[in-house]
Amino acid sequence: MTSADLSIIIVNWNSVDYLRNCIASILANTHNIKYEIIVVDSASYDGCRDMLKNLYPQVHFIQSEYNVGFARANNIGAGYACGTSVLLLNPDTEVRSHAIERLYSCLQTLPHAGIIGCRLLNSDGSLQTSGVQPLPTIANQILDAEILQRWFPKSSLLMSARKFEGATSPVPVEAISGACMMIQREVFDQVRGFSTDYFMYAEDLDLCYKICMAGYTNYYVADAEIMHHGGGSTQHRRSRFSEVMIPESTSRLLRKTHGHSYSTGYRIALSVAAVFRLILLSLCFPATLIKLLAYEWWRGAIDKWFVILRWGLGLEKWVHEYDAGLSGGKLNESEKSEKTDE
């Protein structure tokens, strides 16, 4: 394809089944836009190449020989894009109704439009609150808890998609989830795409920050819905890898936006919060013995905050192994492009 209105870029990592359904939903629900689909496989080799060749030969497939991370893989896909606009879409999503066409229309008509995001739904159809987020600060990261979001759904400090339930028109927001982000190609290029300072997590917040600093406005469109199954690549229960990389990536972002001292303050504050939560969880232990589900929740919470405390104390040293890859080197070699019909 030599030109398109929209390039849909999907980064795959061990999500071939989700990817198949994602592409099927795009084709079934998007008809009034000239678009292309680009899939970048970040060295998962999970059979997606053969699946695309057999079912969707029109999809442009790019194989990376190394797992270069979410940000770099999206940038690779954008390098092959022909569209005047770009949709960055997770493989574990399914488009509902005319969501993509609605987002595209808003992108063309909203003033100073930066990133356009949609209403994300969980697999059971409930609202996925992380579709809208505030740019991180120490305060909102320490207070980031589902129960607080339920108690204070309209809080700007704890901003989530709950605040905009019932909105009938696009609303300006600070940050949009990386599961679904639509942006003009020239704006994406202007801010040099995703920052490769992050292997995973926070790169979407970083992009939203750069868009705001460039003078554009990010918008949330509540009447465009996409189902985001969540955890398609990392499983539903967060791994130790995720629990460490999330605060590590957030710390890097805070260092960029607020300075080194602020980032250090975040690490200290999160460590103190981890100690506090571990104490509370320990006091709750007798009550968890009544129900198996309660115990499973308690065990998961203990594991999470123990790992976060270790990270805060600098004991998860393996995280620094990603620094070399993020600065270039081996991760930047040998990305190969090949269409599935070749």
Side-chain angles (χ1 to χ4, degrees):
M1 183 177 290
T2 57
S3 65
D5 297 324
L6 181 67
S7 295
I8 302 173
I9 300 171
I10 306 172
V11 174
N12 177 70
W13 191 76
N14 287 333
S15 298
V16 62
D17 293 331
Y18 284 116
L19 177 64
R20 181 190 303 111
N21 294 333
C22 176
I23 294 175
S25 72
I26 294 171
L27 298 177
N29 293 290
T30 312
H31 307 291
N32 299 315
I33 303 173
K34 185 179 181 182
Y35 66 91
E36 63 175 354
I37 301 175
I38 299 171
V39 172
V40 182
D41 181 60
S42 200
S44 65
Y45 298 103
D46 62 351
C48 67
R49 180 181 184 275
D50 291 337
M51 182 275 290
L52 294 173
K53 183 176 182 180
N54 293 329
L55 297 180
Y56 307 113
Q58 72 272 36
V59 171
H60 186 65
F61 177 72
I62 302 167
Q63 179 67 66
S64 173
E65 291 188 358
Y66 302 102
N67 184 359
V68 295
F70 180 82
R72 194 183 296 269
N74 269 296
N75 289 345
I76 291 171
Y80 289 90
C82 298
T84 56
S85 302
V86 174
L87 173 61
L88 308 165
L89 193 64
N90 273 18
D92 57 349
T93 57
E94 292 184 35
V95 176
R96 303 186 74 178
S97 187
H98 303 291
I100 291 179
E101 293 167 2
R102 171 64 172 148
L103 293 176
Y104 182 80
S105 175
C106 290
L107 183 63
Q108 308 309 310
T109 58
L110 289 170
H112 308 293
I115 297 172
I116 309 295
C118 68
R119 186 174 189 261
L120 296 177
L121 303 175
N122 295 309
S123 299
D124 61 2
S126 61
L127 176 69
Q128 194 165 108
T129 59
S130 60
V132 176
Q133 302 173 47
L135 291 172
T137 64
I138 292 177
N140 64 32
Q141 293 303 296
I142 298 303
L143 296 175
D144 182 21
E146 180 69 18
I147 189 169
L148 292 179
Q149 289 184 7
R150 290 183 181 277
W151 286 350
F152 308 104
K154 303 298 182 181
S155 169
S156 296
L157 179 66
L158 304 171
M159 186 184 298
S160 75
R162 282 197 183 95
K163 183 175 182 178
F164 306 105
E165 280 294 84
T168 57
S169 59
V171 291
V173 296
E174 290 186 359
I176 296 296
S177 167
C180 176
M181 309 174 92
M182 189 178 290
I183 186 173
Q184 295 282 11
R185 174 62 186 269
E186 64 178 1
V187 177
F188 187 78
D189 290 343
Q190 179 184 338
V191 300
R192 300 185 178 183
F194 280 107
S195 171
T196 55
D197 294 338
Y198 317 90
F199 179 79
M200 195 173 184
Y201 305 113
E203 60 279 288
D204 52 352
L205 298 175
D206 184 285
L207 181 60
C208 290
Y209 171 77
K210 293 196 296 182
I211 292 295
C212 292
M213 292 299 99
Y216 298 96
T217 301
N218 301 319
Y219 288 94
Y220 173 68
V221 183
D223 57 348
E225 293 184 341
I226 288 180
M227 184 167 287
H228 180 214
H229 296 291
S233 299
T234 58
Q235 304 305 319
H236 292 286
R237 182 174 177 177
R238 284 179 179 173
S239 64
R240 177 180 176 183
F241 176 85
S242 299
E243 298 294 5
V244 173
M245 289 303 296
I246 289 172
E248 175 68 19
S249 296
T250 302
S251 177
R252 291 180 184 224
L253 177 57
L254 290 174
R255 189 180 310 133
K256 175 184 289 190
T257 59
H258 292 78
H260 181 77
S261 296
Y262 194 91
S263 176
T264 301
Y266 163 72
R267 179 183 289 269
I268 294 171
L270 194 61
S271 299
V272 172
V275 171
F276 179 72
R277 296 202 188 197
L278 286 169
I279 292 173
L280 287 180
L281 287 166
S282 298
L283 295 175
C284 291
F285 175 70
T288 66
L289 298 178
I290 300 173
K291 291 185 178 180
L292 179 61
L293 290 178
Y295 175 77
E296 290 296 321
W297 169 85
W298 178 87
R299 180 61 184 271
I302 283 285
D303 290 346
K304 169 186 173 179
W305 288 104
F306 180 71
V307 167
I308 290 175
L309 177 59
R310 283 182 52 86
W311 169 82
L313 297 175
L315 299 177
E316 296 289 343
K317 298 184 182 301
W318 59 265
V319 75
H320 301 299
E321 296 175 5
Y322 289 87
D323 289 344
L326 292 171
S327 63
K330 188 174 182 180
L331 293 184
N332 211 20
E333 301 173 0
S334 303
E335 285 100 19
K336 298 192 294 186
S337 171
E338 52 184 324
K339 285 190 176 180
T340 56
D341 57 353
E342 294 178 344

